[in-house]
Amino acid sequence: MIAVVIVLPLRLVYDLLAAVGRVLKRTPPWLGRLLLAAYMALLHPVVKVIGQGAALLWSGVAWLFARGVYDPLHWLVTVVVLGFLRLLGRGSGRLARWFHAVFLAPVGRLLAAVGSVLAAGLRLLGTGLGRLGTAIGMALMFLANVLLVIPAVAVWQYVLRPPLLGLAWLAKGAGAGLLWALRKLGSGIAAVWAVFAGALVWSWRMLGRLLYWVARILVVIPALALYRYLLRPVGQGVAGTWRLAGRGLRWLWRHLVVAPARAVKNGVLVPVGGGIRAVWNVSVRRPARWVRQSVLAPIRETGRDVRLQLRRAFRGG
């Protein structure tokens, strides 16, 4: 309803004024001044009278709304609803104070007195239990000292400590002797291993020298002779032959293929390509460019302007 009654008429008026504005923008200045003078002389008084009547009508509607709707609702809320809530709040407050004075305060004082008595009794009971626990703890400490600590110290001092000291002295002497024996045994083993390692190293060195001379005589010298007197001359001959063949093939390629192809390109293909390019430019490319610039481009610009004007006219700019 709001869209149909309010928004749609305003939209129509706006579109109408926009269309009129566009028309006036495109009209000559003298015609615009003439239309403005006609409007001020003919339509402006009518519009002014209609505006004053609408203002008076709105004032009357506002006065009727204030006297017929707002004032009764304000009186109902402030006098009836708030008065009832105020009376209800006062009554509930008085009832709460009476209930506190009659029931809650005596019960609270009674519970406080009972709690004070119980707290005093518990305090006395706790004090007595604490003193009793202190006495029991001191007695147990004395009994533990007499029955456990003093006998344990005496047994350690006079029974266990002397034999343990003797065992420790014996273990120290035995450890020193065992360490001396192990040190002498390690020295002997090291000397024997040094002699054995020296003999082993000398044996490996002699065996390596023997294998080196055997490999040199049986492998290296025959391989060097074979390379120097057989493979190297054969390789040099093959390389020279391949080099001569490559030069011959290069000379044949240059004189039998490259030179005729270059002559055909310079004498036939280049002139024919230039002629085809000139004929294409004259017969196709230049007419097509003239048609695009002189015919198609103005038609496209005119169609774009027509579509823009139609869109502005039907969609309101």
Side-chain angles (χ1 to χ4, degrees), residues 276-291:
I276 292 173
R277 188 183 302 109
V279 171
W280 175 263
N281 289 330
V282 173
S283 62
V284 177
R285 188 175 180 181
R286 292 180 182 177
R289 183 182 299 172
W290 179 83
V291 170

Side-chain angles (χ1 to χ4, degrees), residues 26-313:
R26 296 176 182 178
T27 55
W30 62 269
L31 183 58
R33 289 193 293 271
L34 179 61
L35 292 176
L36 180 61
Y39 170 77
M40 294 299 295
L42 300 176
L43 296 179
H44 182 68
V46 177
V47 173
K48 186 175 180 180
V49 171
I50 292 173
Q52 292 177 357
L56 293 175
L57 180 61
W58 177 254
S59 301
V61 172
W63 182 84
L64 290 176
F65 177 79
R67 295 298 181 267
V69 178
Y70 178 76
D71 291 342
L73 289 177
H74 184 266
W75 177 84
L76 180 62
V77 171
T78 56
V79 176
V80 179
V81 178
L82 293 180
F84 175 73
L85 293 176
R86 192 179 297 109
L87 292 176
L88 182 61
R90 291 177 181 176
S92 61
R94 292 177 181 177
L95 181 61
R97 285 194 295 273
W98 177 82
F99 182 75
H100 176 268
V102 175
F103 292 99
L104 295 180
V107 173
R109 286 193 290 270
L110 177 62
L111 292 177
V114 173
S116 299
V117 173
L118 290 176
L122 292 175
R123 192 182 299 111
L124 292 176
L125 181 60
T127 303
L129 291 176
R131 292 178 180 178
L132 180 61
T134 302
I136 293 172
M138 293 178 64
L140 292 175
M141 189 180 295
F142 176 76
L143 291 175
N145 192 15
V146 172
L147 297 177
L148 295 177
V149 177
I150 294 175
V153 172
V155 168
W156 167 256
Q157 188 72 26
Y158 300 106
V159 178
L160 298 177
R161 190 167 179 270
L164 292 176
L165 289 176
L167 291 175
W169 183 78
L170 290 175
K172 185 177 180 182
L178 182 62
L179 182 62
W180 180 81
L182 291 176
R183 189 180 296 113
K184 294 299 182 181
L185 180 62
S187 300
I189 294 173
V192 173
W193 175 256
V195 174
F196 176 74
L200 185 63
V201 169
W202 182 81
S203 300
W204 277 104
R205 187 180 296 115
M206 296 303 296
L207 181 62
R209 290 180 180 178
L210 179 62
L211 293 175
Y212 170 73
W213 283 107
V214 170
R216 183 176 178 83
I217 293 171
L218 297 179
V219 178
V220 176
I221 293 176
L224 288 175
L226 179 63
Y227 171 74
R228 184 176 301 170
Y229 299 107
L230 181 60
L231 298 178
R232 185 177 179 184
V234 172
Q236 290 178 353
V238 171
T241 304
W242 180 256
R243 192 179 298 112
L244 291 175
R247 291 179 180 175
L249 292 175
R250 191 182 304 113
W251 185 86
L252 292 174
W253 173 262
R254 184 180 298 118
H255 289 83
L256 296 179
V257 177
V258 175
R262 183 177 299 156
V264 170
K265 175 188 174 183
N266 295 328
V268 178
L269 296 180
V270 172
V272 171
I276 292 173
R277 188 183 302 109
V279 171
W280 175 263
N281 289 330
V282 173
S283 62
V284 177
R285 188 175 180 181
R286 292 180 182 177
R289 183 182 299 172
W290 179 83
V291 170
R292 186 178 67 251
Q293 294 179 354
S294 302
V295 178
L296 296 180
I299 292 174
R300 190 181 300 112
E301 294 294 334
T302 305
R304 186 182 297 112
D305 294 337
V306 170
R307 288 196 302 271
L308 182 60
Q309 295 298 329
L310 292 175
R311 188 181 297 113
R312 288 179 177 177

